[in-house]
Amino acid sequence: MSTEVKVLPASTRTNLEALKHHMNKLGFKYFEERDGWIDFGTSLYGARLSNANKVSVHFNNRNMFSMFDNLDLYDKLPEVKQAILDFYEAEGISDED
């Protein structure tokens, strides 16, 4: 039985590292990349990312999902948005994609 491993291009890995660094400065830890989504959160619930304070970013489309139960995190949304937009710009993903 073989396992398919998804290998990201070097430029995408670099852009993802920059996004992870910026999100970490905003208080969000990188959790995982799955099914085309990159998940960040402030806390874990067991072995899973808590849905309470979470940001998910789609790899290929300009699409973001966020859920916060900590009102202080809403103040960080403009910076979160800008970090994500910078990632998409570096990846060459635009509104038209």
Side-chain angles (χ1 to χ4, degrees):
M1 189 172 0
S2 69
T3 303
E4 184 178 329
V5 175
K6 182 178 177 183
V7 178
L8 298 173
S11 62
T12 297
R13 284 194 308 270
T14 300
N15 296 335
L16 180 56
E17 286 303 316
L19 177 61
K20 287 163 58 173
H21 176 74
H22 198 141
M23 293 295 285
N24 190 41
K25 286 181 10 183
L26 295 171
F28 294 92
K29 306 291 187 241
Y30 172 74
F31 182 64
E32 67 180 346
E33 184 267 320
R34 192 182 76 186
D35 299 328
W37 290 90
I38 310 161
D39 293 329
F40 297 91
T42 60
S43 62
L44 295 176
Y45 181 73
R48 296 179 41 110
L49 186 66
S50 170
N51 282 330
N53 297 301
K54 174 182 176 178
V55 175
S56 296
V57 180
H58 198 273
F59 244 113
N60 301 316
N61 303 318
R62 285 174 61 119
N63 207 350
M64 179 186 101
F65 169 81
S66 62
M67 182 180 295
F68 301 130
D69 69 355
N70 179 343
L71 294 178
D72 293 335
L73 291 175
Y74 283 102
D75 294 338
K76 296 182 180 185
L77 272 178
E79 288 182 79
V80 167
K81 177 184 173 185
Q82 189 58 55
I84 293 166
L85 289 174
D86 291 346
F87 170 77
Y88 285 140
E89 181 179 331
E91 285 293 297
I93 298 170
S94 66
D95 284 334
E96 293 82 39
D97 293 339

